[in-house]
Amino acid sequence: MSMTRRALLGSAAVAVAAGGTGTAVAAGAGLASPDTPVLWREFRHTPFTHPQIPYVGRAGCHGGAVRLPRRPVVADVRDFGAVADGTTDSAPAINRAIAAAGRAGGGTVTIPPGTFRIDDVIRVDRSNVVLRGAGSGRTTLYATRNLTELIGVYGSRYGGDKSAWSWAGGLIWLAPRARWHSLVTAIRAKAWPFEGWTGNRRDEWRTLTRVAPARQGSWTITVTDPSSLRPGALVLLRLTDDTDHTLLQHMCGGGPGPEAYVWDDKTKLTSYVPYEWPVRIARVHGRKVTLERPLPLDARPEWSPQLTTHVPALTGSGVEGLTLEAVETPQQPHLLDQGHNGIVLQCAYDCWVDDVTVRHADNGFGLVAASACTLRRTRVTGRASHHPYFCREGSHDNLIEDFTIEERTSPVPPNTQLHGINVEGLSSYNVWSRGDMRMGTFDSHRGLPFANVRTDITVNNNGRHGGDASAGPLFGARFTHWNIRVTNSRAGLVRIDGLAPYSATVGIDEVREFDQIDVPDFTGDLHTRLELYGSPHAVRPQNLYEAQREL
């Protein structure tokens, strides 16, 4: 079966492609319960290898732990000179307190109630250090300057006059100390860097061991040399592509559509390869290595699968209980942001943000080459934002839950752009759960993100996606939108059964196409699934991520 996107949206019948073959059956036919999707029943039998739904039950800090780590208090920013008068620059004092906690081996740095002015970046750059305010309604950091002023102009490594502060960097920046300094040094030298786990030129790694062929969903792999591997160690799984781009095809589910797609001219996309996936080793038994999470993709010989080293990671650190408020300035034209940015986690693993509000930001919360991190009880408010949330540069296994994007408080200037909850750049197995989006959209920003889940979200779908054509497809395989309430009836990037290959749209409101209208990147049958269309209230389970955790 091959249907146009317009025909799919115009259909009054609720249908599901049984078994991903393209054969349509009535949504309620043969079901014991009309609110339990066939997809969920299938997934319960094959949770790690289902063709349309990814396994995300381990997404987030410490495998999605409900309780985030608690560190003993080791410093109060007032003891280092911070003053809650709204006029004294407290950034040096806060950074001194963080450094002292790092030298002590970790711990919590407290910020009492009040407003603390900061004229510099707050750098959480030591592992096991937590910066904790008294609550997002009680402690405010008032940021007076932007990243262009503090660090310098940051151009795009892909050319043009764009500002990379439109998608990178935060006024609270969680990143390992050496990595942060290398990035800043490169920016000031105008040697625009790669931002991920293997350094500015992607050359800071070495092979630990080769990996034998294995299937996506496997928890245990076989390696050629386990001598450098230890339980608890963080390693990178590295997969390169071949000249036929079969790795990129695999990320899209394979088959005639991805095989016929023209990959060679997608130069921005191909610059993202190799695929780099951080993971902890759970167990080593001879040459058998058990991982903390199942393999995200096949490990095939033609992709030279290997476990490698990486730049030192930031682990076990967090920011809690505060509001970061930038000076209220008009939003800049699209891609020319000055860097009034909120909180960014970069080269971070098992880190978190909890009970934090960002106000008047160009970009709210960012995940840049960050994995296994949790953003919980976060909020973007104030004047309009370009990216309220962004997830890019190979960020994987993250959990964003109980999040809110409030409606803008001032009119939006012309020539600006609003995205929403963004994902791009080969990022995979991320979850957005229990969200209240009063503006924005589900921004799949090209760069072939795959195997991501958005679930239990209410959205006023009024944003637009971005992404350069050279970045390739909007979606790879195994995207799932599950229980989505669309308040303005707009289909764009929320109903994806006509766009994303080997993916699922389950329990969304009836929607129609208007404003930005997208077409699928791949020809032929996309092997997509649609169930309980028009009935988000009826979906059981209501939250796909939580149901996978329980399963």
Side-chain angles (χ1 to χ4, degrees), residues 151-163:
I151 296 174
V153 172
Y154 188 2
S156 169
R157 67 177 183 254
Y158 301 104
D161 59 356
K162 303 170 185 176
S163 168

Side-chain angles (χ1 to χ4, degrees), residues 161-163 166-167 331-337 386-387 413-419 445 464-467:
D161 59 356
K162 303 170 185 176
S163 168
S166 300
W167 57 77
Q331 185 179 353
Q332 295 296 299
H334 189 216
L335 298 177
L336 296 179
D337 296 347
H386 180 192
H387 295 95
N415 302 317
T416 58
Q417 189 59 272
L418 165 66
H419 297 311
H445 211 79
R464 299 171 69 86
H465 82 74

Side-chain angles (χ1 to χ4, degrees), residues 177-198:
R177 180 170 33 171
R179 190 74 185 98
W180 190 85
H181 282 293
S182 72
L183 288 165
V184 169
T185 299
I187 292 165
R188 287 175 172 161
K190 302 189 184 306
W192 314 130
F194 285 92
E195 302 156 89
W197 286 99
T198 50

Side-chain angles (χ1 to χ4, degrees), residues 8 29 101 134 184 213 273 294 335 351 399 420-421 459 500 520 526 531 537:
L8 280 166
V184 169
V273 184
L335 298 177
C351 293
L399 171 64
I421 50 174
V459 55
L526 296 178
E531 283 197 72
H537 61 281

Side-chain angles (χ1 to χ4, degrees), residues 271-294:
S271 77
Y272 296 148
V273 184
Y275 176 79
E276 296 171 337
W277 182 63
V279 66
R280 288 197 191 278
I281 294 172
R283 184 170 183 260
V284 180
H285 184 70
R287 293 173 54 221
K288 300 290 186 181
V289 177
T290 302
L291 305 175
E292 183 181 36
R293 292 175 172 85

